[in-house]
């Protein structure tokens, strides 16, 4: 994981770069603009290629039937769907940076944690407030303050 990139830029790369988010992203402001425009459906394909299971895409971002309809009509993700995809990508990038290993990061994201009331980090990433909790926990782990 290239830590020289901003978190927004790294999340955009994970989502497929310009082809996945529709714009060049170097900052949070750029990502906000890409989200507001709605990501191309390719962003979902990129998440799946990075190991996010279809069922998780369906529960966290966009239902499979809706995705099929968008794909068939050449549509884009809505602002809300794009925001959720960006949030998932951001969580993946932060976990990979924290654990310096994609497999460890994915295991952690899917493990029930007492610090999260027995929920998994991916369950919390469903909402912005939950994603902030996960990001704070990852920061604490990075600094050695939590396990």
């Amino acid at each position: 994981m290239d830590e020289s990139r901003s978190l927004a830029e790294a999340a955009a790369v994970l989502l497929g770069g310009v082809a996945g988010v529709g714009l060049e992203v170097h900052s949070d402001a750029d990502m906000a603009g890409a989200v507001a425009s709605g990501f191309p459906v390719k962003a979902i394909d990129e998440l799946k290629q990075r190991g996010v299971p279809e069922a998780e895409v369906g529960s966290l971002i966009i239902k499979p039937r809706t995705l099929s309809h968008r794909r068939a009509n050449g549509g884009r993700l809505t602002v809300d769907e794009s925001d959720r995809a960006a949030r998932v990508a951001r969580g993946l990038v932060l976990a990979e940076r924290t654990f310096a290993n994609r497999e460890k990061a994915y295991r952690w994201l899917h493990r029930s944690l007492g610090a999260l009331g027995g929920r998994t980090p991916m369950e919390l990433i469903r909402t912005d407030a939950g994603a902030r909790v996960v990001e704070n926990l990852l920061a604490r782990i990075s600094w050695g303050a939590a396990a």
Side-chain angles (χ1 to χ4, degrees):
M1 177 73 28
D2 181 1
E3 299 222 12
S4 66
R5 290 187 168 135
S6 74
L7 185 55
E9 185 175 9
V13 167
L14 190 146
L15 290 163
V18 173
V21 298
L23 300 171
E24 214 169 289
V25 172
H26 300 287
S27 67
D28 288 336
D30 293 339
M31 181 60 88
V35 166
S37 297
F39 294 164
V41 172
K42 181 174 179 21
I44 300 300
D45 301 332
E46 293 293 329
L47 282 175
K48 289 179 186 177
Q49 286 183 342
R50 293 289 288 227
V52 178
E54 180 123 9
E56 207 161 61
V57 167
S59 69
L60 295 174
I61 303 168
I62 184 172
K63 300 293 180 210
R65 187 172 175 179
T66 305
L67 179 60
S68 294
H69 179 70
R70 293 272 168 68
R71 193 180 308 282
N73 294 316
R76 299 172 78 84
L77 301 180
T78 65
V79 171
D80 287 338
E81 293 159 351
S82 298
D83 191 49
R84 291 190 296 262
R87 190 166 46 238
V88 168
R90 183 180 172 100
L92 294 172
V93 168
L94 279 173
E96 286 181 24
R97 285 182 175 179
T98 299
F99 295 103
N101 177 293
R102 182 179 296 168
E103 290 76 29
K104 286 180 184 178
Y106 278 63
R107 278 195 309 269
W108 183 85
L109 286 165
H110 294 92
R111 180 178 301 142
S112 294
L113 300 174
L116 302 178
R119 292 171 290 178
T120 69
M122 285 303 276
E123 288 176 80
L124 264 73
I125 286 174
R126 180 182 319 269
T127 66
D128 185 55
R132 285 194 304 265
V133 170
V134 171
E135 289 176 12
N136 287 334
L137 184 55
L138 284 167
R140 289 177 53 211
I141 291 169
S142 290
W143 286 95

mmCIF file of all heavy atoms in Angstrom, residues 91-127:
data_model
loop_
_atom_site.group_PDB
_atom_site.id
_atom_site.type_symbol
_atom_site.label_atom_id
_atom_site.label_comp_id
_atom_site.label_asym_id
_atom_site.label_seq_id
_atom_site.Cartn_x
_atom_site.Cartn_y
_atom_site.Cartn_z
ATOM 1 N N GLY A 91 -12.254 2.604 4.162
ATOM 2 C CA GLY A 91 -12.043 1.644 5.235
ATOM 3 C C GLY A 91 -11.033 0.570 4.849
ATOM 4 O O GLY A 91 -10.171 0.189 5.649
ATOM 5 N N LEU A 92 -11.128 0.087 3.613
ATOM 6 C CA LEU A 92 -10.179 -0.925 3.135
ATOM 7 C C LEU A 92 -8.758 -0.371 3.111
ATOM 8 O O LEU A 92 -7.812 -1.030 3.562
ATOM 9 C CB LEU A 92 -10.575 -1.407 1.739
ATOM 10 C CG LEU A 92 -11.878 -2.181 1.622
ATOM 11 C CD1 LEU A 92 -12.228 -2.425 0.164
ATOM 12 C CD2 LEU A 92 -11.802 -3.497 2.377
ATOM 13 N N VAL A 93 -8.609 0.838 2.594
ATOM 14 C CA VAL A 93 -7.280 1.454 2.522
ATOM 15 C C VAL A 93 -6.704 1.654 3.924
ATOM 16 O O VAL A 93 -5.538 1.316 4.179
ATOM 17 C CB VAL A 93 -7.329 2.801 1.759
ATOM 18 C CG1 VAL A 93 -6.038 3.589 1.924
ATOM 19 C CG2 VAL A 93 -7.617 2.558 0.282
ATOM 20 N N LEU A 94 -7.507 2.189 4.833
ATOM 21 C CA LEU A 94 -7.010 2.412 6.198
ATOM 22 C C LEU A 94 -6.614 1.103 6.877
ATOM 23 O O LEU A 94 -5.581 1.039 7.552
ATOM 24 C CB LEU A 94 -8.061 3.128 7.039
ATOM 25 C CG LEU A 94 -8.140 4.629 6.856
ATOM 26 C CD1 LEU A 94 -9.345 5.186 7.617
ATOM 27 C CD2 LEU A 94 -6.871 5.293 7.337
ATOM 28 N N ALA A 95 -7.416 0.072 6.708
ATOM 29 C CA ALA A 95 -7.096 -1.220 7.315
ATOM 30 C C ALA A 95 -5.815 -1.798 6.706
ATOM 31 O O ALA A 95 -4.952 -2.308 7.434
ATOM 32 C CB ALA A 95 -8.258 -2.196 7.160
ATOM 33 N N GLU A 96 -5.680 -1.698 5.393
ATOM 34 C CA GLU A 96 -4.463 -2.203 4.743
ATOM 35 C C GLU A 96 -3.239 -1.421 5.208
ATOM 36 O O GLU A 96 -2.176 -2.001 5.440
ATOM 37 C CB GLU A 96 -4.592 -2.139 3.223
ATOM 38 C CG GLU A 96 -5.507 -3.202 2.662
ATOM 39 C CD GLU A 96 -5.611 -3.162 1.148
ATOM 40 O OE1 GLU A 96 -4.682 -2.646 0.478
ATOM 41 O OE2 GLU A 96 -6.624 -3.651 0.621
ATOM 42 N N ARG A 97 -3.379 -0.128 5.366
ATOM 43 C CA ARG A 97 -2.252 0.674 5.865
ATOM 44 C C ARG A 97 -1.919 0.321 7.309
ATOM 45 O O ARG A 97 -0.760 0.249 7.691
ATOM 46 C CB ARG A 97 -2.567 2.166 5.755
ATOM 47 C CG ARG A 97 -2.482 2.697 4.352
ATOM 48 C CD ARG A 97 -2.758 4.179 4.287
ATOM 49 N NE ARG A 97 -2.551 4.672 2.935
ATOM 50 C CZ ARG A 97 -2.735 5.924 2.574
ATOM 51 N NH1 ARG A 97 -3.136 6.831 3.463
ATOM 52 N NH2 ARG A 97 -2.519 6.302 1.329
ATOM 53 N N THR A 98 -2.936 0.102 8.119
ATOM 54 C CA THR A 98 -2.728 -0.201 9.532
ATOM 55 C C THR A 98 -2.038 -1.545 9.722
ATOM 56 O O THR A 98 -1.098 -1.661 10.507
ATOM 57 C CB THR A 98 -4.072 -0.200 10.286
ATOM 58 O OG1 THR A 98 -4.648 1.103 10.172
ATOM 59 C CG2 THR A 98 -3.895 -0.550 11.753
ATOM 60 N N PHE A 99 -2.496 -2.551 8.984
ATOM 61 C CA PHE A 99 -1.966 -3.898 9.176
ATOM 62 C C PHE A 99 -0.856 -4.259 8.193
ATOM 63 O O PHE A 99 -0.247 -5.322 8.321
ATOM 64 C CB PHE A 99 -3.106 -4.920 9.103
ATOM 65 C CG PHE A 99 -4.090 -4.757 10.230
ATOM 66 C CD1 PHE A 99 -5.313 -4.153 10.018
ATOM 67 C CD2 PHE A 99 -3.774 -5.163 11.510
ATOM 68 C CE1 PHE A 99 -6.218 -3.974 11.056
ATOM 69 C CE2 PHE A 99 -4.671 -4.987 12.563
ATOM 70 C CZ PHE A 99 -5.889 -4.398 12.329
ATOM 71 N N ALA A 100 -0.588 -3.373 7.226
ATOM 72 C CA ALA A 100 0.471 -3.557 6.229
ATOM 73 C C ALA A 100 0.360 -4.901 5.514
ATOM 74 O O ALA A 100 1.356 -5.482 5.089
ATOM 75 C CB ALA A 100 1.850 -3.400 6.878
ATOM 76 N N ASN A 101 -0.881 -5.393 5.399
ATOM 77 C CA ASN A 101 -1.095 -6.687 4.774
ATOM 78 C C ASN A 101 -2.581 -6.787 4.433
ATOM 79 O O ASN A 101 -3.423 -6.657 5.326
ATOM 80 C CB ASN A 101 -0.682 -7.797 5.758
ATOM 81 C CG ASN A 101 -0.925 -9.185 5.232
ATOM 82 O OD1 ASN A 101 -2.071 -9.591 5.049
ATOM 83 N ND2 ASN A 101 0.149 -9.914 5.017
ATOM 84 N N ARG A 102 -2.885 -7.004 3.177
ATOM 85 C CA ARG A 102 -4.285 -7.034 2.737
ATOM 86 C C ARG A 102 -5.075 -8.153 3.419
ATOM 87 O O ARG A 102 -6.197 -7.939 3.866
ATOM 88 C CB ARG A 102 -4.370 -7.200 1.226
ATOM 89 C CG ARG A 102 -5.821 -7.178 0.738
ATOM 90 C CD ARG A 102 -5.967 -7.324 -0.742
ATOM 91 N NE ARG A 102 -5.346 -6.187 -1.385
ATOM 92 C CZ ARG A 102 -5.099 -6.130 -2.686
ATOM 93 N NH1 ARG A 102 -5.420 -7.123 -3.467
ATOM 94 N NH2 ARG A 102 -4.537 -5.063 -3.211
ATOM 95 N N GLU A 103 -4.502 -9.351 3.521
ATOM 96 C CA GLU A 103 -5.232 -10.466 4.124
ATOM 97 C C GLU A 103 -5.537 -10.200 5.604
ATOM 98 O O GLU A 103 -6.648 -10.456 6.068
ATOM 99 C CB GLU A 103 -4.443 -11.778 3.966
ATOM 100 C CG GLU A 103 -4.396 -12.289 2.534
ATOM 101 C CD GLU A 103 -3.427 -11.511 1.643
ATOM 102 O OE1 GLU A 103 -2.419 -10.967 2.151
ATOM 103 O OE2 GLU A 103 -3.702 -11.420 0.429
ATOM 104 N N LYS A 104 -4.561 -9.683 6.340
ATOM 105 C CA LYS A 104 -4.795 -9.353 7.747
ATOM 106 C C LYS A 104 -5.862 -8.272 7.876
ATOM 107 O O LYS A 104 -6.721 -8.322 8.756
ATOM 108 C CB LYS A 104 -3.506 -8.872 8.419
ATOM 109 C CG LYS A 104 -2.520 -9.965 8.704
ATOM 110 C CD LYS A 104 -1.285 -9.400 9.376
ATOM 111 C CE LYS A 104 -0.231 -10.466 9.584
ATOM 112 N NZ LYS A 104 0.988 -9.917 10.193
ATOM 113 N N ALA A 105 -5.801 -7.292 6.991
ATOM 114 C CA ALA A 105 -6.782 -6.207 7.013
ATOM 115 C C ALA A 105 -8.189 -6.745 6.792
ATOM 116 O O ALA A 105 -9.121 -6.392 7.524
ATOM 117 C CB ALA A 105 -6.439 -5.166 5.947
ATOM 118 N N TYR A 106 -8.361 -7.620 5.801
ATOM 119 C CA TYR A 106 -9.681 -8.160 5.503
ATOM 120 C C TYR A 106 -10.184 -9.044 6.642
ATOM 121 O O TYR A 106 -11.367 -9.010 6.968
ATOM 122 C CB TYR A 106 -9.662 -8.925 4.180
ATOM 123 C CG TYR A 106 -9.787 -8.017 2.984
ATOM 124 C CD1 TYR A 106 -8.818 -7.059 2.696
ATOM 125 C CD2 TYR A 106 -10.883 -8.079 2.141
ATOM 126 C CE1 TYR A 106 -8.931 -6.216 1.617
ATOM 127 C CE2 TYR A 106 -11.010 -7.241 1.050
ATOM 128 C CZ TYR A 106 -10.019 -6.305 0.795
ATOM 129 O OH TYR A 106 -10.151 -5.468 -0.269
ATOM 130 N N ARG A 107 -9.283 -9.815 7.254
ATOM 131 C CA ARG A 107 -9.696 -10.631 8.402
ATOM 132 C C ARG A 107 -10.178 -9.733 9.540
ATOM 133 O O ARG A 107 -11.213 -9.994 10.148
ATOM 134 C CB ARG A 107 -8.542 -11.528 8.882
ATOM 135 C CG ARG A 107 -8.395 -12.797 8.077
ATOM 136 C CD ARG A 107 -7.511 -13.819 8.779
ATOM 137 N NE ARG A 107 -6.238 -13.314 9.223
ATOM 138 C CZ ARG A 107 -5.110 -13.331 8.517
ATOM 139 N NH1 ARG A 107 -5.111 -13.834 7.300
ATOM 140 N NH2 ARG A 107 -3.989 -12.859 9.005
ATOM 141 N N TRP A 108 -9.434 -8.662 9.818
ATOM 142 C CA TRP A 108 -9.808 -7.749 10.899
ATOM 143 C C TRP A 108 -11.154 -7.086 10.606
ATOM 144 O O TRP A 108 -12.007 -6.980 11.479
ATOM 145 C CB TRP A 108 -8.721 -6.695 11.109
ATOM 146 C CG TRP A 108 -9.019 -5.784 12.251
ATOM 147 C CD1 TRP A 108 -8.745 -6.003 13.574
ATOM 148 C CD2 TRP A 108 -9.681 -4.512 12.187
ATOM 149 N NE1 TRP A 108 -9.192 -4.946 14.327
ATOM 150 C CE2 TRP A 108 -9.766 -4.016 13.510
ATOM 151 C CE3 TRP A 108 -10.195 -3.743 11.155
ATOM 152 C CZ2 TRP A 108 -10.347 -2.792 13.807
ATOM 153 C CZ3 TRP A 108 -10.784 -2.522 11.454
ATOM 154 C CH2 TRP A 108 -10.848 -2.060 12.768
ATOM 155 N N LEU A 109 -11.345 -6.656 9.373
ATOM 156 C CA LEU A 109 -12.595 -5.990 8.997
ATOM 157 C C LEU A 109 -13.815 -6.889 9.148
ATOM 158 O O LEU A 109 -14.934 -6.405 9.299
ATOM 159 C CB LEU A 109 -12.513 -5.483 7.553
ATOM 160 C CG LEU A 109 -11.643 -4.252 7.328
ATOM 161 C CD1 LEU A 109 -11.342 -4.073 5.847
ATOM 162 C CD2 LEU A 109 -12.290 -3.015 7.912
ATOM 163 N N HIS A 110 -13.604 -8.189 9.126
ATOM 164 C CA HIS A 110 -14.721 -9.133 9.196
ATOM 165 C C HIS A 110 -14.798 -9.886 10.520
ATOM 166 O O HIS A 110 -15.584 -10.802 10.664
ATOM 167 C CB HIS A 110 -14.632 -10.110 8.016
ATOM 168 C CG HIS A 110 -14.842 -9.425 6.713
ATOM 169 N ND1 HIS A 110 -13.803 -8.910 5.969
ATOM 170 C CD2 HIS A 110 -15.976 -9.112 6.044
ATOM 171 C CE1 HIS A 110 -14.291 -8.335 4.889
ATOM 172 N NE2 HIS A 110 -15.602 -8.437 4.912
ATOM 173 N N ARG A 111 -14.001 -9.475 11.488
ATOM 174 C CA ARG A 111 -13.979 -10.120 12.806
ATOM 175 C C ARG A 111 -14.905 -9.361 13.760
ATOM 176 O O ARG A 111 -14.892 -8.137 13.808
ATOM 177 C CB ARG A 111 -12.551 -10.083 13.348
ATOM 178 C CG ARG A 111 -12.407 -10.737 14.715
ATOM 179 C CD ARG A 111 -10.980 -10.732 15.200
ATOM 180 N NE ARG A 111 -10.135 -11.452 14.250
ATOM 181 C CZ ARG A 111 -8.900 -11.071 13.929
ATOM 182 N NH1 ARG A 111 -8.362 -10.007 14.461
ATOM 183 N NH2 ARG A 111 -8.195 -11.775 13.079
ATOM 184 N N SER A 112 -15.701 -10.114 14.512
ATOM 185 C CA SER A 112 -16.526 -9.495 15.554
ATOM 186 C C SER A 112 -15.598 -8.973 16.639
ATOM 187 O O SER A 112 -14.738 -9.708 17.122
ATOM 188 C CB SER A 112 -17.486 -10.525 16.154
ATOM 189 O OG SER A 112 -18.405 -10.937 15.188
ATOM 190 N N LEU A 113 -15.768 -7.723 17.008
ATOM 191 C CA LEU A 113 -14.875 -7.102 17.984
ATOM 192 C C LEU A 113 -15.658 -6.615 19.194
ATOM 193 O O LEU A 113 -16.690 -5.946 19.055
ATOM 194 C CB LEU A 113 -14.138 -5.912 17.352
ATOM 195 C CG LEU A 113 -13.270 -6.224 16.132
ATOM 196 C CD1 LEU A 113 -12.741 -4.928 15.532
ATOM 197 C CD2 LEU A 113 -12.132 -7.156 16.500
ATOM 198 N N GLY A 114 -15.145 -6.933 20.377
ATOM 199 C CA GLY A 114 -15.760 -6.457 21.609
ATOM 200 C C GLY A 114 -15.829 -4.948 21.660
ATOM 201 O O GLY A 114 -16.803 -4.368 22.147
ATOM 202 N N ALA A 115 -14.794 -4.279 21.135
ATOM 203 C CA ALA A 115 -14.755 -2.811 21.129
ATOM 204 C C ALA A 115 -15.881 -2.210 20.280
ATOM 205 O O ALA A 115 -16.206 -1.037 20.424
ATOM 206 C CB ALA A 115 -13.399 -2.320 20.611
ATOM 207 N N LEU A 116 -16.470 -3.055 19.429
ATOM 208 C CA LEU A 116 -17.571 -2.595 18.567
ATOM 209 C C LEU A 116 -18.884 -3.267 18.949
ATOM 210 O O LEU A 116 -19.789 -3.398 18.135
ATOM 211 C CB LEU A 116 -17.237 -2.876 17.094
ATOM 212 C CG LEU A 116 -15.952 -2.245 16.558
ATOM 213 C CD1 LEU A 116 -15.718 -2.655 15.113
ATOM 214 C CD2 LEU A 116 -15.976 -0.735 16.702
ATOM 215 N N GLY A 117 -18.964 -3.707 20.196
ATOM 216 C CA GLY A 117 -20.190 -4.341 20.674
ATOM 217 C C GLY A 117 -20.468 -5.670 20.000
ATOM 218 O O GLY A 117 -21.630 -6.041 19.833
ATOM 219 N N GLY A 118 -19.405 -6.369 19.586
ATOM 220 C CA GLY A 118 -19.576 -7.660 18.943
ATOM 221 C C GLY A 118 -19.836 -7.585 17.449
ATOM 222 O O GLY A 118 -19.982 -8.606 16.786
ATOM 223 N N ARG A 119 -19.912 -6.387 16.920
ATOM 224 C CA ARG A 119 -20.118 -6.220 15.474
ATOM 225 C C ARG A 119 -18.773 -6.224 14.760
ATOM 226 O O ARG A 119 -17.734 -6.035 15.362
ATOM 227 C CB ARG A 119 -20.875 -4.929 15.195
ATOM 228 C CG ARG A 119 -22.320 -5.004 15.702
ATOM 229 C CD ARG A 119 -23.008 -3.689 15.622
ATOM 230 N NE ARG A 119 -22.386 -2.823 16.629
ATOM 231 C CZ ARG A 119 -22.690 -1.569 16.841
ATOM 232 N NH1 ARG A 119 -23.591 -0.987 16.113
ATOM 233 N NH2 ARG A 119 -22.095 -0.875 17.780
ATOM 234 N N THR A 120 -18.820 -6.412 13.450
ATOM 235 C CA THR A 120 -17.593 -6.347 12.652
ATOM 236 C C THR A 120 -17.386 -4.914 12.169
ATOM 237 O O THR A 120 -18.363 -4.159 12.012
ATOM 238 C CB THR A 120 -17.662 -7.279 11.423
ATOM 239 O OG1 THR A 120 -18.618 -6.756 10.489
ATOM 240 C CG2 THR A 120 -18.019 -8.703 11.806
ATOM 241 N N PRO A 121 -16.144 -4.533 11.905
ATOM 242 C CA PRO A 121 -15.911 -3.203 11.339
ATOM 243 C C PRO A 121 -16.694 -2.971 10.037
ATOM 244 O O PRO A 121 -17.241 -1.885 9.831
ATOM 245 C CB PRO A 121 -14.399 -3.182 11.104
ATOM 246 C CG PRO A 121 -13.867 -4.087 12.180
ATOM 247 C CD PRO A 121 -14.889 -5.200 12.263
ATOM 248 N N MET A 122 -16.800 -3.996 9.182
ATOM 249 C CA MET A 122 -17.536 -3.815 7.927
ATOM 250 C C MET A 122 -19.010 -3.527 8.184
ATOM 251 O O MET A 122 -19.622 -2.770 7.435
ATOM 252 C CB MET A 122 -17.382 -5.034 7.010
ATOM 253 C CG MET A 122 -16.025 -5.103 6.338
ATOM 254 S SD MET A 122 -15.573 -3.658 5.344
ATOM 255 C CE MET A 122 -16.372 -4.058 3.806
ATOM 256 N N GLU A 123 -19.572 -4.092 9.233
ATOM 257 C CA GLU A 123 -20.965 -3.775 9.576
ATOM 258 C C GLU A 123 -21.103 -2.301 9.921
ATOM 259 O O GLU A 123 -22.079 -1.648 9.544
ATOM 260 C CB GLU A 123 -21.439 -4.610 10.764
ATOM 261 C CG GLU A 123 -21.675 -6.072 10.467
ATOM 262 C CD GLU A 123 -22.036 -6.828 11.728
ATOM 263 O OE1 GLU A 123 -23.214 -6.743 12.133
ATOM 264 O OE2 GLU A 123 -21.154 -7.490 12.296
ATOM 265 N N LEU A 124 -20.140 -1.770 10.646
ATOM 266 C CA LEU A 124 -20.210 -0.365 11.048
ATOM 267 C C LEU A 124 -19.973 0.588 9.887
ATOM 268 O O LEU A 124 -20.515 1.693 9.870
ATOM 269 C CB LEU A 124 -19.224 -0.079 12.183
ATOM 270 C CG LEU A 124 -19.864 -0.154 13.566
ATOM 271 C CD1 LEU A 124 -20.156 -1.576 13.941
ATOM 272 C CD2 LEU A 124 -19.013 0.534 14.567
ATOM 273 N N ILE A 125 -19.182 0.162 8.914
ATOM 274 C CA ILE A 125 -18.869 1.020 7.762
ATOM 275 C C ILE A 125 -20.130 1.342 6.961
ATOM 276 O O ILE A 125 -20.148 2.277 6.174
ATOM 277 C CB ILE A 125 -17.749 0.374 6.901
ATOM 278 C CG1 ILE A 125 -16.408 0.516 7.630
ATOM 279 C CG2 ILE A 125 -17.682 0.979 5.521
ATOM 280 C CD1 ILE A 125 -15.249 -0.187 6.965
ATOM 281 N N ARG A 126 -21.203 0.647 7.226
ATOM 282 C CA ARG A 126 -22.478 0.894 6.536
ATOM 283 C C ARG A 126 -22.931 2.349 6.677
ATOM 284 O O ARG A 126 -23.569 2.906 5.801
ATOM 285 C CB ARG A 126 -23.533 -0.050 7.105
ATOM 286 C CG ARG A 126 -24.902 0.083 6.512
ATOM 287 C CD ARG A 126 -25.905 -0.853 7.176
ATOM 288 N NE ARG A 126 -25.379 -2.164 7.457
ATOM 289 C CZ ARG A 126 -25.454 -3.223 6.629
ATOM 290 N NH1 ARG A 126 -26.058 -3.094 5.485
ATOM 291 N NH2 ARG A 126 -24.960 -4.385 6.976
ATOM 292 N N THR A 127 -22.580 2.992 7.814
ATOM 293 C CA THR A 127 -22.977 4.385 8.037
ATOM 294 C C THR A 127 -21.735 5.254 8.212
ATOM 295 O O THR A 127 -20.663 4.759 8.576
ATOM 296 C CB THR A 127 -23.849 4.535 9.302
ATOM 297 O OG1 THR A 127 -23.049 4.214 10.451
ATOM 298 C CG2 THR A 127 -25.080 3.638 9.239
#
